[in-house]
Amino acid sequence: MSGEGLPRARRVRKRAEYLAIQGSGRRIAGDHYMLFARRAEGEPGPARLGVTVSRKVGGAVRRNQVKRWVKESCRRIQRELPAGLDLVVVARPSAAHAGYGPTAAELANLARRLRGNR
């Protein structure tokens, strides 16, 4: 399983970065998730990803499951994600019952919409 995760350089890690992306980034909404995107500072590189799942989604076990669905979906569609962007995926409460398949399909659709509207 090593080498398949998102390395530190491909993740949004600081609270200030999350707030900046969500505050001044572009928002694309789906049924279960919202995608915020903002042009990365510095040299363009591969897209960086952050995931936010609040307690409205459910308990710790459910929130972690939703995060795993999102991370795996984004890992599989990383070639479709535009380079040079910082992305934050915010789960809505309905995401708790979505499942991996619908999550992957919705995030792929949001990535296509993001690519088409740049």
Side-chain angles (χ1 to χ4, degrees), residues 28-93:
I28 301 174
D31 293 335
H32 306 296
Y33 299 95
M34 284 192 305
L35 177 66
F36 291 88
R38 185 177 107 150
R39 181 96 25 226
E41 296 177 9
E43 294 185 29
R48 293 190 320 148
L49 175 70
V51 181
T52 301
V53 182
S54 75
R55 286 186 295 184
K56 292 178 183 179
V57 174
V61 172
R62 181 61 70 175
R63 289 194 311 269
N64 288 330
Q65 183 178 44
V66 170
K67 286 185 228 178
R68 286 193 304 270
W69 293 339
V70 170
K71 289 176 187 176
E72 178 63 13
S73 299
C74 289
R75 187 185 70 78
R76 289 181 181 228
I77 64 165
Q78 59 187 318
R79 288 188 179 96
E80 295 180 41
L81 298 174
L85 292 181
D86 289 339
L87 306 169
V88 172
V89 177
V90 178
R92 293 182 171 173

Side-chain angles (χ1 to χ4, degrees), residues 85 100 103 112:
L85 292 181
Y100 172 72
T103 294
R112 277 192 296 276

